[in-house]
């Protein structure tokens, strides 16, 4: 299937098949039998629990490294007033803008929206999308390797940030990972919250025959980076998972919430 080239860094701007990724991860399992939906239902359920606890809320919300996705915004909209997305690759930012502007070839998020509507005990999944579109303010470029990852833009600190499957894709060593977590931390106000989730113990994943690098992380690496970056009340849940070896080699998904001191 894949050749041996391992994609990373600027390859996200050229070799990341956005349509394949969205269809595979966020449509029904039938459309992409290699994937299935276990990881995303776990994450959507955890996000719903976190925001309905009332402990994580604020005015300004940032989704960091959104890729072409908006699923983390659905439950967040109940807890925040203004939503910003930022993403490294322009092709991914364009996908989000398409969805925001309701363009006809935008990805259809209804499978995920229906799951969130069910969690909220109503049937109006369209209303969730409309509320997110209303609160979305801007889609910015970002690079987590920079001290100000939103550079050249400068923004007031955020109250809540989520980031998923991004830092392990962007960093090639634990030192770089620690720096990246500190860079994201610099965007959060004191007392604000970070919700971070991603792949455990994964060294690669495949997007339409292209093999992408992933930094092997264990929960200890993640929690250590968060402590070094000034977070406390760190709570981690793990969903053990194993996919086919030729698609990726992850051993589970972590879901971590924490507060900036
Ligand atoms: C596996 S995708 C995750 C996308 C999305 N957050 C999700 O959960 O589906 C990895 C993301 O990392 C982003 N990325 C790669 N290098 C980056 C960097 N230096 N700074 C910020 N993001 C980066 C890619 O553009 C891509 O959107």
């Amino acid at each position: 299937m894949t050749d041996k080239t391992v994609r990373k860094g600027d390859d996200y701007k050229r070799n990341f098949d956005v349509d394949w990724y969205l269809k595979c991860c966020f449509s029904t399992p039938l459309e992409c039998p290699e994937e299935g939906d276990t990881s995303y239902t776990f994450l959507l359920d955890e996000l719903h629990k976190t925001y309905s606890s009332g402990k994580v809320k604020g005015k300004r919300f940032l989704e960091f490294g959104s890729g072409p996705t908006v699923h983390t915004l659905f439950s967040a909209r109940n807890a925040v007033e203004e939503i910003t997305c930022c993403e490294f690759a322009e092709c991914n930012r364009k996908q989000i803008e398409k969805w925001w502007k309701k363009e006809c070839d935008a990805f259809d998020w209804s499978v995920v929206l229906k799951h969130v509507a069910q969690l909220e005990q109503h049937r109006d999944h369209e209303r969730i999308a409309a509320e997110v579109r209303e609160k979305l303010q801007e889609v910015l470029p970002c690079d987590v390797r920079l001290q100000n990852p939103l550079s050249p833009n400068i923004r007031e600190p955020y109250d809540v940030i989520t980031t998923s499957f991004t830092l392990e894709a962007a960093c090639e060593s634990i030192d770089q990972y620690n720096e990246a977590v500190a860079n994201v931390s610099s965007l959060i106000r004191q007392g604000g919250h970070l919700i971070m989730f991603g792949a455990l113990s994964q060294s690669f994943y495949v997007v339409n025959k292209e093999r992408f690098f992933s930094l092997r992380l264990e929960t200890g690496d993640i929690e250590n980076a968060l402590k070094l970056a000034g977070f406390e009340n760190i709570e981690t849940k793990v969903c053990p998972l194993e996919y086919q070896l030729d698609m990726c080699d992850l051993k589970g998904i972590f879901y971590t919430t924490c507060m900036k001191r």
Side-chain angles (χ1 to χ4, degrees):
M1 52 167 300
T2 48
D3 69 24
K4 291 285 177 223
T5 312
V6 178
R7 305 291 183 188
K8 58 178 91 158
D10 282 351
D11 294 335
Y12 276 94
K13 298 178 180 173
R14 295 179 295 263
N15 301 95
F16 188 73
D17 186 334
V18 180
D19 295 330
W20 190 97
Y21 183 78
L22 285 170
K23 193 169 170 192
C24 231
C25 298
F26 301 99
S27 301
T28 61
L30 285 178
E31 285 184 61
C32 188
E34 294 106 317
E35 263 284 337
D37 69 351
T38 332
S39 57
Y40 282 96
T41 50
F42 164 71
L43 295 169
L44 294 170
D45 295 357
E46 289 306 323
L47 285 169
H48 174 74
K49 281 187 227 162
T50 298
Y51 292 117
S52 19
S53 76
K55 289 183 197 154
V56 176
K57 59 185 174 190
K59 184 176 178 207
R60 291 166 54 70
F61 170 92
L62 175 69
E63 163 57 40
F64 189 91
S66 53
T69 75
V70 289
H71 61 299
T72 59
L73 317 182
F74 298 155
S75 292
R77 85 192 190 288
N78 289 319
V80 302
E81 291 170 33
E82 296 171 358
I83 295 175
T84 296
C85 288
C86 69
E87 161 56 27
F88 182 67
E90 191 185 9
C91 54
N92 288 334
R93 296 197 294 275
K94 279 193 177 148
Q95 271 299 321
I96 295 182
E97 276 163 4
K98 272 190 200 177
W99 179 82
W100 190 13
K101 293 176 192 154
K102 291 175 96 167
E103 288 179 18
C104 54
D105 57 344
F107 183 70
D108 176 3
W109 283 92
S110 32
V111 170
V112 176
L113 282 163
K114 281 179 188 163
H115 185 85
V116 177
Q118 205 176 20
L119 292 171
E120 294 182 4
Q121 297 181 334
H122 63 80
R123 286 163 166 257
D124 193 357
H125 69 279
E126 304 277 4
R127 190 182 82 210
I128 299 176
E131 287 171 0
V132 170
R133 286 193 179 99
E134 181 76 28
K135 290 189 174 182
L136 187 53
Q137 312 281 310
E138 53 185 352
V139 182
L140 298 172
C142 70
D143 186 339
V144 78
R145 298 165 297 188
L146 305 176
Q147 250 178 2
N148 168 18
L150 299 181
S151 176
N153 295 294
I154 296 171
R155 293 290 180 273
E156 294 291 304
Y158 293 89
D159 299 295
V160 182
I161 295 187
T162 54
T163 185
S164 58
F165 298 95
T166 289
L167 272 52
E168 60 270 46
C171 303
E172 291 182 47
S173 68
I174 293 293
D175 284 347
Q176 280 182 17
Y177 183 77
N178 292 343
E179 253 177 63
V181 173
N183 293 341
V184 173
S185 169
S186 74
L187 301 173
I188 305 181
R189 72 160 167 86
Q190 258 189 328
H193 288 87
L194 174 67
I195 301 173
M196 185 159 76
F197 48 90
L200 279 179
S201 207
Q202 172 175 267
S203 68
F204 75 93
Y205 68 101
V206 172
V207 177
N208 195 9
K209 300 191 171 60
E210 295 284 1
R211 183 179 282 246
F212 282 83
F213 173 84
S214 179
L215 178 65
R216 267 190 198 281
L217 290 176
E218 306 304 334
T219 49
D221 301 319
I222 298 152
E223 295 193 348
N224 187 49
L226 291 168
K227 281 179 200 152
L228 290 172
F231 290 98
E232 60 186 16
N233 300 348
I234 301 168
E235 287 176 25
T236 300
K237 290 185 186 172
V238 169
C239 173
L241 280 177
E242 267 185 59
Y243 285 130
Q244 289 177 21
L245 258 184
D246 52 353
M247 294 300 291
C248 68
D249 60 351
L250 99 174
K251 297 286 184 293
I253 307 277
F254 69 91
Y255 178 89
T256 299
T257 57
C258 52
M259 192 182 82
K260 183 152 167 200
R261 269 198 304 275

